[in-house]
Amino acid sequence: MKRLLIIKTAILILFVLAYSVWSASPRPAAAQNGMVVSSEPIAAGIGLQILQDGGNAADAAIAVAAALNVTEGCNSGMGGGCFILIYWSETGQVFAIDGRERASINAHRNLYINSADSTVIPGLSTEGVTAVATPGEPAALAMIAKKWGKHPWKKLIEPAAALADTGFILSRTYAERLIYSRERLYQYPSSREIFFPGNDTLPYGFGDRLVQKDLAKFLKKLSKQGIDWFYNGGFSKTLSDYITENGGYLTADDLKTYKAVQRQPIRGSFRGYDIYSMPPPSSGGIHVVQILEMLEPFYLRYWEPGSSEPLHIIIESMKRAFADRAYYLGDPDFVDIPLDGLLDSTYLADHRSTIKPHQASNIPGAGILPARESSETTHFSIIDSKGNMVAVTASLNTSFGSAVILPGWGLLLNNHMDDFSLQPGAPNYYGLVGSEANAIEPGKRPLSSMSPTIVLKDSKPAGIFGSPGGPKIITTVVQTFLNIVEFGMDVQQAVDFPRVHHQWKPDVVFVEDGIPTDVLVNLQAKGHRIYQAGLWSSAQCIWIDPETGLITGGTDSRSEGIAAGY
Ligand code: DON
C-alpha cells in the first residue's frame, strides 16, 4: 500500500514537472469579433483600432506592418520584405502574397566569393549596403491594399508616421537588441544619429523615448504618395544613389522593376484540418506540410506532450524535411522545384518508413556546424469580424538588417542577400546550407523559412500561425499547431510549450530550456546529439473554436507581445 502511494506520488511529481511550463501559461485572450496578435503591443493596438473603426483584416495588417517599422524597426520594415497569407471569407479562398526581397540585376553567383580561394568573404552579405536586396514589403502591402483594403492607404500609414514623430518608449526587447547590435550600428553615422543619444557610445535604453523624425518624414511621404514614389519616384533615386555610391549593388532599375507576386499557397491536411502556407521562394509551407503529413499516422496524441517518444519522431521528421530543403529549394521563377513530388503521399510515406522508433537516423551529409539563435523578424496574425484572416511574417533578416539607415530618411535596410546559398554547401548565418537551387542570380529571390500559415476546418476559419526564428520558424509553426490539434492545449499553452528543432545540418537537436532532463537523457539514449540553446522564436497565433466561433489568441511568453481582441 505504502509502495503504491510512493509510486503514485512520484508519477504526480513527474506529471507536474513535465507540465509546469505550459500549465503556468495564462489563459489565452478571447474575443468575439476580431483580434490582432503581435510581438509588439503598440502596433497591435493600432491594428485593433483599425478593426474597431470598420477596417478589415487587410487594412489592419497594413497599419500593423507600418507601425512595426517604427516600434520594432530592428525586426521588419519598409526596407525589408514580407510574406502574407490571406483567407477571404466571401469567396472562401486563400491567397499568398510574396513580398520577398530580390537580388539586384547586377548580382551574380560569385558576388561574395573570394576569387583567390573560392571562400565566402565574411560580412559582405550581412553588413552594410553590399548586403541589401531590393525591398518588397511596400509592394506587398500596396498589393493587399488594392485587392482587399477598405480604408485609404494614407489612413493606414499615418498612425505609424505619428508614432515615429512623437516617439515611443523602448521596450526591454528593443533595448536588448540595441545593446547587442551597438557596434554594428555605431559604425554608420546615419544609424548612430538615430540610436545613440548625443555622442554617447551607448544606445538608448529600456524606458527611453525613441523619436525618429526622419522615419516620420519617410512614412508621411509614403502615406501621401504611395509606393510609386518608393519604387519609381524621388525616393527610389535617393535610395539607389546612396547604395551604389557606397559600393552596393541595388540600382534604380531594380526598384523600378520590383513586383510583389501573388502565388498559389501550399496546401496540406492534418486530422481533417486544411493547412495553407507560404509557397516558394519560402521553404516554409512545403516543410510545415511535409513534417505534419509525415507525423499524422503516428498518433502522437497517445504519448504525453513533450515526452521523448513523440519528440524523437517529430525530430526525425524535421531532419528529413530539412534535407529536402537544402537540396531542392530556391526561387520558383528560376528553378524547377518538384513541388508535387515533395508533397506526394508516397514520397512522404517513404520518408516516414525510414524513421526508426528507438534510434536517431544518420541522414548522409549532416555534420556539426555552428548555428545561431535569434528571434529577429516578426509575425502577426489578424482576424476580423467577417472571419477574414491575415498572417504576415516580415523581416529585415538579422537584427537591424544591414545595420545601415538611409541618411535623412530613417529607414533601416535589410541584409537578405545572406539568405542565398552564397557558396552552395557553405552555411549561412543560421547554419543553413543550400544547393545551386538557391545560388545568387540576377533578379532572384533568396530562399526563406518564413511560414505564415492559415488553417481551415470544414471551410471555416480555424487558426492562424507564424513566428520569427530563421529555420526555427518552420519547426515552431509545426509544434504550435501539434500542441493544439494533437495534444489538446489551448493556443496560449501551445505557443509557450518548450520546443525542439532539427534542421538536418548541423546534426544536433536544438532544445529549449524547460525540457526535463530525463527527456533529454532518453533522447540521447536514442542517439540524438543535444544542444541546449536557451529560448527561441516568438509565435503569435490565433485559434478559433469551430463550434462557437470564439477567437482565442496566444502571444509567445518568450517576447513582450499581446493578443488584443474585441
Ligand atoms: O527568410 C528567412 O527565413 C530569414 N531571413 C528570416 C529571419 C529570421 O526569422 C530572423 N529571426 N530569427
Side-chain angles (χ1 to χ4, degrees):
M1 194 61 190
K2 203 172 158 200
R3 232 175 110 197
L4 196 67
L5 192 70
I6 293 171
I7 292 170
K8 274 187 176 167
T9 314
I11 290 173
L12 190 70
I13 290 170
L14 279 176
F15 186 82
V16 168
L17 280 179
Y19 283 77
S20 55
V21 175
W22 61 275
S23 63
S25 295
R27 304 178 91 127
Q32 298 279 356
N33 301 299
M35 185 175 276
V36 180
V37 187
S38 163
S39 52
E40 204 292 301
I42 304 171
I46 288 176
L48 183 65
Q49 190 63 53
I50 298 282
L51 292 182
Q52 287 177 307
D53 286 352
N56 62 32
D59 293 323
I62 297 162
V64 172
L68 288 171
N69 192 156
V70 179
T71 55
E72 218 193 40
C74 50
N75 288 346
S76 72
M78 302 293 175
C82 66
F83 289 116
I84 306 175
L85 232 74
I86 297 199
Y87 164 76
W88 205 243
S89 63
E90 240 168 64
T91 60
Q93 284 171 291
V94 183
F95 303 89
I97 308 301
D98 164 6
R100 183 66 160 170
E101 296 92 330
R102 229 180 48 175
S104 165
I105 24 206
N106 296 322
H108 54 83
R109 187 190 180 287
N110 293 330
L111 197 62
Y112 303 112
I113 302 296
N114 184 342
S115 55
D117 60 3
S118 299
T119 56
V120 176
I121 305 167
L124 270 191
S125 62
T126 51
E127 307 295 324
V129 291
T130 52
V132 182
T134 313
E137 180 168 306
L141 296 178
M143 185 181 247
I144 67 166
K146 194 166 165 205
K147 281 189 164 242
W148 295 285
K150 238 163 90 178
H151 282 353
W153 170 260
K154 189 162 173 281
K155 177 173 171 177
L156 303 173
I157 309 292
E158 264 172 357
L163 205 52
D165 195 43
T166 53
F168 69 100
I169 302 300
L170 278 180
S171 66
R172 191 178 294 276
T173 310
Y174 202 133
E176 280 167 5
R177 290 287 164 71
L178 277 168
I179 287 286
Y180 181 78
S181 301
R182 67 185 185 280
E183 282 166 17
R184 296 179 67 222
L185 293 166
Y186 195 79
Q187 32 170 347
Y188 302 105
S190 50
S191 308
R192 199 186 306 156
E193 197 186 307
I194 308 291
F195 294 121
F196 296 76
N199 277 332
D200 204 338
T201 50
L202 271 186
Y204 287 105
F206 174 44
D208 287 343
R209 179 174 288 273
L210 182 67
V211 175
Q212 302 171 83
K213 293 283 180 197
D214 290 347
L215 184 59
K217 182 178 87 178
F218 166 81
L219 289 165
K220 258 180 225 151
K221 276 270 202 188
L222 186 68
S223 77
K224 282 195 194 125
Q225 307 211 8
I227 60 153
D228 248 15
W229 169 75
F230 187 97
Y231 286 103
N232 195 17
F235 183 76
S236 69
K237 181 158 165 45
T238 312
L239 175 58
S240 54
D241 282 355
Y242 175 75
I243 291 192
T244 42
E245 278 160 20
N246 287 282
Y249 312 107
L250 186 149
T251 64
D253 232 27
D254 288 321
L255 287 159
K256 192 172 168 185
T257 55
Y258 184 87
K259 294 269 174 298
V261 186
Q262 185 183 317
R263 301 188 187 272
Q264 196 65 29
I266 296 294
R267 198 175 158 180
S269 69
F270 187 93
R271 306 242 185 280
Y273 288 91
D274 292 312
I275 299 155
Y276 295 83
S277 191
M278 201 63 215
S282 181
S283 61
I286 293 181
H287 302 311
V288 164
V289 166
Q290 275 193 318
I291 297 170
L292 287 175
E293 292 192 356
M294 264 186 261
L295 290 174
E296 191 175 16
F298 283 107
Y299 274 86
L300 303 176
R301 57 181 61 189
Y302 290 131
W303 285 295
E304 294 302 342
S307 60
S308 59
E309 291 87 353
L311 284 183
H312 165 72
I313 291 166
I314 292 170
I315 292 161
E316 288 296 305
S317 307
M318 291 173 178
K319 248 189 228 179
R320 284 153 178 80
F322 272 89
D324 281 348
R325 183 190 193 279
Y327 192 75
Y328 292 108
L329 294 208
D331 181 347
D333 295 340
F334 286 74
V335 290
D336 273 336
I337 300 172
L339 208 62
D340 293 343
L342 288 169
L343 296 171
D344 179 72
S345 57
T346 319
Y347 178 74
L348 294 175
D350 278 353
H351 266 343
R352 192 183 304 118
S353 69
T354 63
I355 296 177
K356 303 180 197 115
H358 303 296
Q359 204 193 335
S361 2
N362 177 20
I363 309 277
I368 295 216
L369 296 163
R372 298 174 222 207
E373 308 324 313
S374 49
S375 49
E376 301 98 25
T377 301
T378 198
H379 175 86
F380 56 91
S381 298
I382 302 181
I383 183 164
D384 67 23
S385 58
K386 297 252 164 56
N388 300 314
M389 298 189 280
V390 180
V392 181
T393 314
S395 182
L396 297 174
N397 194 20
T398 65
S399 225
F400 297 93
S402 63
V404 180
I405 279 193
L406 180 66
W409 293 97
L411 189 68
L412 267 165
L413 303 171
N414 72 83
N415 60 351
H416 257 130
M417 287 301 289
D418 193 63
D419 270 354
F420 280 111
S421 305
L422 306 178
Q423 179 65 297
N428 75 353
Y429 180 87
Y430 302 104
L432 283 169
V433 291
S435 66
E436 288 293 341
N438 187 34
I440 304 176
E441 291 182 61
K444 190 174 177 183
R445 295 170 195 234
L447 185 61
S448 173
S449 300
M450 293 193 269
S451 316
T453 299
I454 279 177
V455 179
L456 303 181
K457 182 85 198 287
D458 304 326
S459 306
K460 287 209 299 249
I464 315 175
F465 292 83
S467 174
K472 296 190 178 81
I473 293 172
I474 295 171
T475 53
T476 295
V477 167
V478 163
Q479 288 169 94
T480 309
F481 173 86
L482 284 174
N483 286 344
I484 298 175
V485 170
E486 197 65 356
F487 295 117
M489 296 182 203
D490 68 43
V491 65
Q492 185 60 54
Q493 293 166 335
V495 301
D496 285 347
F497 199 71
R499 308 193 244 267
V500 297
H501 171 80
H502 201 300
Q503 59 185 48
W504 177 54
K505 282 188 183 197
D507 185 12
V508 290
V509 183
F510 295 81
V511 298
E512 279 197 314
D513 297 343
I515 300 190
T517 311
D518 64 313
V519 172
L520 301 182
V521 169
N522 286 343
L523 287 173
Q524 269 175 331
K526 291 181 198 291
H528 294 286
R529 280 179 274 195
I530 304 293
Y531 179 78
Q532 280 193 285
L535 298 170
W536 63 75
S537 305
S538 174
Q540 307 295 332
C541 307
I542 288 176
W543 188 251
I544 301 116
D545 186 305
E547 265 137 50
T548 62
L550 185 74
I551 301 163
T552 52
T555 182
D556 207 318
S557 61
R558 294 161 186 80
S559 45
E560 299 174 285
I562 193 168
Y566 77 110

Short mmCIF file of all heavy atoms in Angstrom, two decimals, residues 83 100 325 374-377 395 397-398 416 419 430 447-450 467-471 473, ligand 1:
data_model
loop_
_atom_site.label_atom_id
_atom_site.label_comp_id
_atom_site.label_asym_id
_atom_site.label_seq_id
_atom_site.Cartn_x
_atom_site.Cartn_y
_atom_site.Cartn_z
N PHE A 83 6.07 38.06 -46.28
CA PHE A 83 5.15 37.13 -46.92
C PHE A 83 3.80 37.26 -46.22
O PHE A 83 3.75 37.38 -44.98
CB PHE A 83 5.63 35.69 -46.77
CG PHE A 83 6.85 35.36 -47.59
CD1 PHE A 83 8.04 35.02 -46.96
CD2 PHE A 83 6.81 35.39 -48.97
CE1 PHE A 83 9.16 34.71 -47.71
CE2 PHE A 83 7.93 35.08 -49.73
CZ PHE A 83 9.11 34.75 -49.09
N ARG A 100 8.95 39.17 -51.02
CA ARG A 100 10.34 38.83 -50.70
C ARG A 100 11.27 39.78 -51.45
O ARG A 100 10.99 40.15 -52.60
CB ARG A 100 10.59 37.40 -51.13
CG ARG A 100 11.99 36.86 -50.82
CD ARG A 100 12.24 36.74 -49.35
NE ARG A 100 13.33 35.83 -49.05
CZ ARG A 100 13.87 35.71 -47.84
NH1 ARG A 100 13.43 36.44 -46.82
NH2 ARG A 100 14.84 34.85 -47.62
N ARG A 325 15.01 20.49 -48.09
CA ARG A 325 15.12 21.94 -48.26
C ARG A 325 16.47 22.29 -48.88
O ARG A 325 16.58 23.06 -49.82
CB ARG A 325 14.99 22.64 -46.89
CG ARG A 325 15.02 24.16 -46.97
CD ARG A 325 15.13 24.76 -45.56
NE ARG A 325 14.85 26.20 -45.55
CZ ARG A 325 15.72 27.15 -45.88
NH1 ARG A 325 16.95 26.82 -46.27
NH2 ARG A 325 15.37 28.43 -45.84
N SER A 374 17.97 33.18 -32.68
CA SER A 374 17.55 34.57 -32.78
C SER A 374 16.06 34.62 -32.97
O SER A 374 15.44 33.66 -33.39
CB SER A 374 18.24 35.25 -33.94
OG SER A 374 18.11 34.47 -35.08
N SER A 375 15.49 35.75 -32.61
CA SER A 375 14.08 35.92 -32.94
C SER A 375 13.88 37.30 -33.53
O SER A 375 12.98 38.02 -33.14
CB SER A 375 13.20 35.67 -31.73
OG SER A 375 13.67 36.39 -30.64
N GLU A 376 14.77 37.68 -34.42
CA GLU A 376 14.53 38.88 -35.20
C GLU A 376 13.43 38.51 -36.18
O GLU A 376 13.00 37.38 -36.21
CB GLU A 376 15.80 39.29 -35.96
CG GLU A 376 16.99 39.57 -35.06
CD GLU A 376 17.95 38.41 -34.94
OE1 GLU A 376 18.00 37.58 -35.85
OE2 GLU A 376 18.64 38.34 -33.92
N THR A 377 13.04 39.45 -37.03
CA THR A 377 11.87 39.17 -37.88
C THR A 377 10.63 39.31 -36.99
O THR A 377 10.76 39.33 -35.76
CB THR A 377 11.93 37.76 -38.51
OG1 THR A 377 13.12 37.69 -39.27
CG2 THR A 377 10.75 37.39 -39.36
N SER A 395 10.42 40.84 -42.34
CA SER A 395 11.80 40.73 -41.83
C SER A 395 12.77 41.67 -42.54
O SER A 395 12.58 42.00 -43.71
CB SER A 395 12.27 39.29 -42.04
OG SER A 395 13.55 39.10 -41.53
N ASN A 397 15.84 40.44 -42.06
CA ASN A 397 16.73 39.30 -41.84
C ASN A 397 17.30 39.36 -40.44
O ASN A 397 16.56 39.19 -39.49
CB ASN A 397 17.82 39.18 -42.91
CG ASN A 397 18.48 37.80 -42.83
OD1 ASN A 397 17.91 36.87 -42.28
ND2 ASN A 397 19.68 37.66 -43.36
N THR A 398 18.59 39.63 -40.24
CA THR A 398 19.11 39.61 -38.87
C THR A 398 18.76 40.93 -38.19
O THR A 398 18.26 41.85 -38.83
CB THR A 398 20.63 39.36 -38.86
OG1 THR A 398 21.28 40.47 -39.47
CG2 THR A 398 20.99 38.10 -39.62
N HIS A 416 19.10 40.76 -46.62
CA HIS A 416 18.56 39.47 -47.04
C HIS A 416 19.37 38.77 -48.13
O HIS A 416 19.08 37.62 -48.48
CB HIS A 416 17.08 39.60 -47.41
CG HIS A 416 16.21 39.06 -46.33
ND1 HIS A 416 15.15 39.73 -45.78
CD2 HIS A 416 16.27 37.88 -45.67
CE1 HIS A 416 14.60 39.00 -44.83
NE2 HIS A 416 15.26 37.86 -44.76
N ASP A 419 20.53 35.28 -47.27
CA ASP A 419 19.70 34.07 -47.31
C ASP A 419 19.94 33.24 -48.57
O ASP A 419 19.38 32.14 -48.71
CB ASP A 419 18.21 34.42 -47.17
CG ASP A 419 17.78 34.44 -45.70
OD1 ASP A 419 18.59 34.07 -44.84
OD2 ASP A 419 16.63 34.82 -45.42
N TYR A 430 22.38 31.30 -40.31
CA TYR A 430 21.60 30.37 -39.49
C TYR A 430 22.14 28.94 -39.54
O TYR A 430 21.48 28.01 -39.10
CB TYR A 430 20.13 30.38 -39.95
CG TYR A 430 19.54 31.76 -39.87
CD1 TYR A 430 19.36 32.52 -41.03
CD2 TYR A 430 19.23 32.33 -38.65
CE1 TYR A 430 18.86 33.81 -40.95
CE2 TYR A 430 18.74 33.62 -38.57
CZ TYR A 430 18.56 34.35 -39.72
OH TYR A 430 18.08 35.63 -39.64
N LEU A 447 15.96 32.11 -50.83
CA LEU A 447 15.07 31.16 -50.16
C LEU A 447 14.84 31.58 -48.72
O LEU A 447 15.75 32.05 -48.05
CB LEU A 447 15.72 29.77 -50.20
CG LEU A 447 14.89 28.61 -49.67
CD1 LEU A 447 13.61 28.45 -50.46
CD2 LEU A 447 15.70 27.30 -49.72
N SER A 448 13.61 31.41 -48.26
CA SER A 448 13.23 31.82 -46.91
C SER A 448 12.67 30.64 -46.13
O SER A 448 12.34 29.60 -46.71
CB SER A 448 12.17 32.91 -47.02
OG SER A 448 11.64 33.24 -45.76
N SER A 449 12.53 30.83 -44.82
CA SER A 449 11.83 29.83 -44.00
C SER A 449 10.53 30.41 -43.43
O SER A 449 9.85 29.74 -42.65
CB SER A 449 12.71 29.41 -42.82
OG SER A 449 13.91 28.85 -43.26
N MET A 450 10.24 31.64 -43.78
CA MET A 450 9.07 32.28 -43.16
C MET A 450 7.79 31.53 -43.54
O MET A 450 7.59 31.20 -44.69
CB MET A 450 9.02 33.75 -43.57
CG MET A 450 10.19 34.54 -42.99
SD MET A 450 10.00 36.31 -43.12
CE MET A 450 10.77 36.64 -44.66
N SER A 467 5.75 32.81 -36.91
CA SER A 467 6.79 33.16 -35.93
C SER A 467 8.01 33.69 -36.65
O SER A 467 8.21 33.38 -37.82
CB SER A 467 7.17 31.90 -35.15
OG SER A 467 8.25 32.15 -34.29
N PRO A 468 8.87 34.45 -35.96
CA PRO A 468 10.23 34.63 -36.46
C PRO A 468 11.09 33.45 -36.03
O PRO A 468 10.59 32.54 -35.35
CB PRO A 468 10.68 35.91 -35.74
CG PRO A 468 9.93 35.91 -34.47
CD PRO A 468 8.60 35.23 -34.76
N GLY A 469 12.37 33.46 -36.39
CA GLY A 469 13.28 32.42 -35.90
C GLY A 469 14.12 31.76 -36.97
O GLY A 469 14.67 30.69 -36.73
N GLY A 470 14.23 32.37 -38.16
CA GLY A 470 15.02 31.74 -39.22
C GLY A 470 14.47 30.35 -39.48
O GLY A 470 13.24 30.16 -39.54
N PRO A 471 15.32 29.34 -39.61
CA PRO A 471 14.82 27.98 -39.89
C PRO A 471 13.90 27.46 -38.79
O PRO A 471 13.05 26.59 -39.03
CB PRO A 471 16.10 27.14 -39.98
CG PRO A 471 17.19 27.98 -39.39
CD PRO A 471 16.80 29.40 -39.56
N ILE A 473 11.52 28.87 -37.58
CA ILE A 473 10.13 29.26 -37.85
C ILE A 473 9.31 28.02 -38.20
O ILE A 473 8.21 27.81 -37.69
CB ILE A 473 10.07 30.27 -39.03
CG1 ILE A 473 10.73 31.60 -38.65
CG2 ILE A 473 8.63 30.46 -39.49
CD1 ILE A 473 10.88 32.56 -39.83
O1 DON B 1 13.68 34.49 -44.57
C1 DON B 1 14.16 33.85 -43.65
O2 DON B 1 13.97 32.67 -43.47
C2 DON B 1 15.03 34.56 -42.64
N1 DON B 1 15.71 35.64 -43.26
C3 DON B 1 14.17 35.02 -41.52
C4 DON B 1 14.99 35.66 -40.48
C5 DON B 1 14.51 35.44 -39.13
O3 DON B 1 13.50 34.85 -38.87
C6 DON B 1 15.38 36.01 -38.09
N2 DON B 1 14.94 35.64 -36.81
N3 DON B 1 15.41 34.84 -36.20
#
